[in-house]
Structures are given as structure tokens and as C-alpha cells.
Amino acid sequence: MEPSPLDLPADTVQRIVSQLRCHPTDEQVALRLDEEDKLRHFREYFYIPKVQDLPPIDLSLVNKDENAIYFSGNSLGLQPKMVKTYLEEELDKWAKMGAYGHEVGKRPWITGDESITGLMTDIVGANEKEIALMNGLTVNLHLLLLSFFKPTPKRYKILLEAKAFPSDHYAVESQLQLHGLNVEKSMRIIKPREGEETLRMEDILEVIEKEGDSIAVILFSGVHFYTGQLFNIPAITKAGQAKGCFVGFDLAHAVGNVELHLHDWGVDFACWCSYKYLNSGAGGLAGAFVHEKHVHTIKPALVGWFGHELNTRFKMDNKLQLIPGANGFRISNPPILLVCSLHASLEIFNQATMKALRRKSILLTGYLEYMIKHYYNKDKAESKKPIVNIITPPHIEERGCQLTLTFSAPMKYVFQELEKRGVVCDKREPNGIRVAPVPLYNSFHDVYKFVSLLISVLDAAETKNS
């Protein structure tokens, strides 16, 4: 449930402005927002990069001892400080006892993944038995599609959004080819309307209603990687299932970012990575969800030893006793070193809770939007002023942390100049810079400093081009 209208970011800013009797863009506003932030202490649980350690930095433009403004958690989350401790625990156990480590300690290697699955339940809104921690995202997507995509002569399409993340696009293409289907006819892509960047919900529902009888699987991202649009997962799920489709989601940019209730929404399947908002490190352990309603009807197409029930796994009689639900999709033993880094992060989420993080995120990203629009409002009369467009939807229920910005100034110039000044964000073709203030470790003062640096960069670009 989203905050009430009284909690809208602009209202909070105005309240503080009236209390402090200052201008909305005053630094005091950011500092007061940080004072009021009940989650601010979680920043201390992470390593924040110093500007002097960033490769693109121009030391003449920064104080080298300051922290970077890290707005790239949508690409790679920061390192929790406990990661090193947990890794050393397992390395030490390996060094001291070798194979006995499979069965002892707080993360026995045989059940290492299962030892932390309970920490994922609140984050994705699912029961433990509906969640498997395994592989990488696209491997999990393939495994799920092999079970859920069973085309027939009448129902043979996979529906997905335009400009889906390349890996999703390739996975769908290859699944269609695997079944000998014509990709052009079987891959149904919904595009935004002419001149628009994001999809309208009514257009998605219209395609499902009109073409649903020929669609076998609907596969959407939870949050679009480029635009930052948060799709209405329960509405898409309900509409698709009403037409007899299976409905699944790639939650790479949604997990740890927005509140999810996969079980209650009735989503058929989902998968996610853990190195973005879940802070597990590059190539971290991914996850999969299979709704419990499919426990007796949907089986993994490919099976392995770790999908076999643990109590008979070591009988070695080659008579498969498949674990019901998501864990039956596991093929190999869990990579314990990857479990460690994810464990360190999930413990922090467990303390903070997704509800509280989402509430802060709405205000944090809303404050960023407020500041950008104040300085670069399209309605301002100064036509020569640089233009900053926010292509991410303005409604809080249609976005997470990320705002995607486009500029009248050359995008590469803006990006490079921000990098030189200690801002870590990323650029994505064709012309967007993605900035994602993350509630676990970003502050309102980070936002204030980012906007100040953005102003100086765009002023410099204006001078350069005049």
C-alpha cells in the first residue's frame, strides 16, 4: 500500500520549508530530511566508495577524502561490511575441516541456500517453499520457461514489453526457436505509443484481451531497466490468467526496490538477480519463484541431484524423489561463497523491512524529482536554459528508486563531467542517464549534492556551446 496523499514528497518538502523558513532548494531541507530519516543508520552497514578511488575522477574538481555520490545501486549495489566476515567464516571452515563443512556451521554447504531463503520471503512476498536461490537470472528464466511455455497450434505466443532487457529478449527468442516456432509471429512485443517513452496500462490490457487466446506466456519486467517504469504486476497477472495465459516476471530491477507480493498476487513464476538492489556482488546468486498452486502440476523440464529430496538424496539409487515446488528446479549444489555475500545483505533487509525502505524511497526519489523540476521545469520562460527531461513516470506507484534523465546537452558530456566530480550513475543507450538513490545507503544530502553538481555540469555545457 502506497503512502497517503499527505505523505507525498512535495508535501513533506513544503512542511520542512515552512518549519525552517527557507527556500525549498536550501541545503537545510536535505539535512532536516536526513535528521528525520529513521533508516539513516543503515548507511553505516555498507562501504561507501571514496571519490579518490574512482577511476574517472578529476582530483582538481573534488575533495579526494569525500564519499562518492553513489547512485548506481540499480546496476550494482554497494558491499555490505559483513560480507568479508561471512566469506572468511566459510574459507576458515574449509581450511580447518574440509569436507565436514558440508554439514556443520550456520551455513552448512549442502543446505547453504536454504539457510537464507527465509530472509527472502518478505522481500518478494512469498512462502519459503515458493523460492529457490540458484544460478544466474537468465539461467533461471530458461528453466522456468522450459516448464511454463508449452505452445500449442492455437496458443503459441510469448508477450513481452518493447526494449526488454537484452537477456530476456534473447531467452524468449531462443525458447521460441527451441520449439521450432517463427520468432516474428510468436514473439509479441508491446511498444509505447508514438512519441511516448513508457507503456500505458490500458494498452497492455487491451493487447491481452484481444490476443490472449493465442498467448501462452506473458513475460514482463517488474521495473523496466531503461525507463524505470514499475509495471502493475497484479493487474497484468489477473488479466493474463483470465485469458488462460501463464504470467511471469523478471524482477531484476524490482526486487529490493519496491514491495512485492508474488504469492498474494497469484503470479505464476518469477526470477531475479541479487547484485543490484540486493547488494550481493557482481554475478551474485539469483532467485526463482514458482507459485505453490503449481506444486503438483508444473515440473522442472531439466532436473539434477539437488532437486532430489534431501532425506533420500544420498541413497544414490537413481530413483528421483523430486522436491515439490521451486526447490525441485535446483540442479546443482549451492555456491557457498555467493551465499555468504547475499546472506550479509538480506540480514540488513530483514532489519530495515521492505515497507519502511519503500516509504523512504518514495520520499528520496521524490525529493530528487522535486529538485530537478524546480531548476529545469519545461514551463520556465528561459528557453536557452538546458533541458532535463525525466522519462520515468511521475506517479509514485509507477516507479521505484530510479529516475532516467535525458538532456538537451550531449548525454556523453554530461555523464563524463558527473563522473569527474565523483557521481556514480550510468548511461544507457540511446540517450538516458539512470540515477537511483537507494534508501538503504543513500541520503537526502546525497541528492542535494547531486543536483548541485548537475547544475554546474549543465551550466558548463551551456557556456561551452554558447
Side-chain angles (χ1 to χ4, degrees):
M1 184 177 170
E2 301 293 357
S4 69
L6 293 175
D7 295 314
L8 287 172
D11 294 334
T12 302
V13 171
Q14 289 302 327
R15 170 179 62 78
I16 290 172
V17 164
S18 60
Q19 287 173 354
L20 298 176
R21 298 183 179 179
C22 65
H23 194 270
T25 61
D26 196 297
E27 187 175 14
Q28 290 181 74
V29 175
L31 295 174
R32 174 60 66 85
L33 285 166
D34 280 330
E35 281 175 24
E36 294 183 358
D37 175 19
K38 293 176 182 176
L39 303 178
R40 65 184 182 275
H41 62 286
F42 286 110
R43 180 179 173 91
E44 303 304 317
Y45 292 30
F46 293 86
Y47 290 109
I48 311 293
K50 297 289 184 185
V51 293
Q52 63 185 345
D53 295 322
L54 303 177
I57 205 72
D58 182 340
L59 290 172
S60 70
L61 297 172
V62 297
N63 175 347
K64 68 182 178 66
D65 297 318
E66 283 190 353
N67 290 328
I69 299 170
Y70 195 88
F71 280 179
S72 200
N74 59 328
S75 183
L76 182 73
L78 290 179
Q79 183 186 137
K81 289 178 178 176
M82 286 302 292
V83 167
K84 190 177 289 187
T85 300
Y86 288 178
L87 285 170
E88 285 174 350
E89 285 174 0
E90 299 310 319
L91 292 172
D92 190 51
K93 188 164 70 173
W94 180 21
K96 288 180 175 176
M97 61 180 73
Y100 290 104
H102 281 108
E103 298 174 354
V104 301
K106 63 182 175 185
R107 286 175 295 269
W109 301 336
I110 285 177
T111 56
D113 55 334
E114 296 173 62
S115 70
I116 65 169
T117 305
L119 296 172
M120 279 295 316
T121 56
D122 177 57
I123 296 171
V124 297
N127 303 326
E128 269 193 66
K129 289 183 178 178
E130 295 175 312
I131 301 168
L133 299 175
M134 58 185 186
N135 309 316
L137 187 157
T138 309
V139 174
N140 289 339
L141 179 56
H142 273 300
L143 293 174
L144 291 166
L145 285 174
L146 284 169
S147 293
F148 282 92
F149 181 53
K150 302 291 186 184
T152 67
K154 290 186 177 179
R155 194 184 286 276
Y156 57 90
K157 294 177 187 173
I158 298 178
L159 176 71
L160 68 163
E161 79 272 21
K163 295 182 181 176
F165 193 77
S167 202
D168 287 2
H169 191 99
Y170 302 152
V172 169
E173 273 187 337
S174 58
Q175 289 284 332
L176 293 170
Q177 290 164 348
L178 187 66
H179 287 280
L181 295 167
N182 181 303
V183 172
E184 202 171 309
K185 291 179 180 176
S186 303
M187 194 172 184
R188 177 61 168 97
I189 296 174
I190 305 182
K191 297 179 181 177
R193 296 185 187 185
E194 189 73 32
E196 296 183 0
E197 295 278 1
T198 55
L199 283 164
R200 295 193 190 190
M201 192 59 200
E202 62 263 34
D203 293 348
I204 297 171
L205 296 179
E206 185 182 2
V207 170
I208 293 171
E209 178 58 34
K210 284 185 176 177
E211 302 181 35
D213 292 337
S214 64
I215 295 168
V217 169
I218 296 170
L219 177 68
F220 262 69
S221 51
V223 173
H224 193 272
F225 82 99
Y226 179 71
T227 66
Q229 179 178 9
L230 168 58
F231 292 108
N232 189 330
I233 295 174
I236 292 171
T237 301
K238 185 178 179 183
Q241 291 172 348
K243 298 296 286 187
C245 314
F246 285 128
V247 185
F249 291 88
D250 171 353
L251 301 174
H253 286 266
V255 70
N257 178 8
V258 297
E259 286 188 87
L260 299 168
H261 303 281
L262 299 182
H263 176 86
D264 291 346
W265 292 339
V267 171
D268 292 302
F269 68 92
C271 51
W272 58 89
C273 59
S274 64
Y275 53 82
K276 300 179 190 299
Y277 296 104
L278 293 186
N279 316 301
S280 71
L285 190 62
F289 164 87
V290 179
H291 199 283
E292 69 176 8
K293 65 188 172 186
H294 298 303
V295 72
H296 299 299
T297 53
I298 299 290
K299 307 293 183 189
L302 302 175
V303 295
W305 195 34
F306 269 69
H308 186 115
E309 289 278 12
L310 179 59
N311 58 0
T312 56
R313 189 179 300 161
F314 287 88
K315 279 188 175 181
M316 308 292 197
D317 59 5
N318 289 350
K319 293 176 182 175
L320 178 65
Q321 288 189 313
L322 190 68
I323 301 170
N327 274 329
F329 282 76
R330 295 179 308 170
I331 290 173
S332 302
N333 53 324
I336 196 63
L337 300 183
L338 298 185
V339 169
C340 290
S341 55
L342 181 55
H343 188 186
S345 180
L346 294 185
E347 285 186 329
I348 302 171
F349 274 92
N350 195 44
Q351 292 176 52
T353 75
M354 276 308 304
K355 185 173 285 295
L357 286 168
R358 176 62 171 152
R359 195 171 190 87
K360 176 181 172 180
S361 177
I362 288 169
L363 183 55
L364 190 63
T365 296
Y367 176 54
L368 173 61
E369 177 190 45
Y370 183 95
M371 292 284 279
I372 290 171
K373 285 187 171 178
H374 175 85
Y375 287 107
Y376 298 102
N377 193 324
K378 283 181 185 176
D379 299 332
K380 287 189 182 286
E382 309 153 71
S383 57
K384 291 184 180 179
K385 196 177 175 83
I387 296 169
V388 181
N389 288 320
I390 301 172
I391 67 172
T392 307
H395 302 296
I396 57 178
E397 66 274 12
E398 293 178 13
R399 70 182 187 206
C401 299
Q402 174 185 320
L403 295 183
T404 302
L405 313 177
T406 62
F407 304 88
S408 55
M411 182 259 281
K412 281 188 178 177
Y413 171 84
V414 175
F415 180 72
Q416 287 169 356
E417 292 301 312
L418 286 171
E419 279 194 316
K420 288 179 187 177
R421 291 161 173 80
V423 175
V424 184
C425 52
D426 68 12
K427 65 181 191 300
R428 284 290 179 267
E429 298 298 338
N431 61 348
I433 290 179
R434 306 186 304 176
V435 289
V438 171
L440 264 180
Y441 49 74
N442 283 127
S443 66
F444 293 90
H445 199 237
D446 282 342
V447 170
Y448 174 83
K449 289 189 290 185
F450 168 78
V451 173
S452 299
L453 290 171
L454 181 64
I455 291 167
S456 67
V457 166
L458 293 175
D459 286 349
E462 191 179 10
T463 305
K464 185 181 175 187
N465 293 329
S466 60

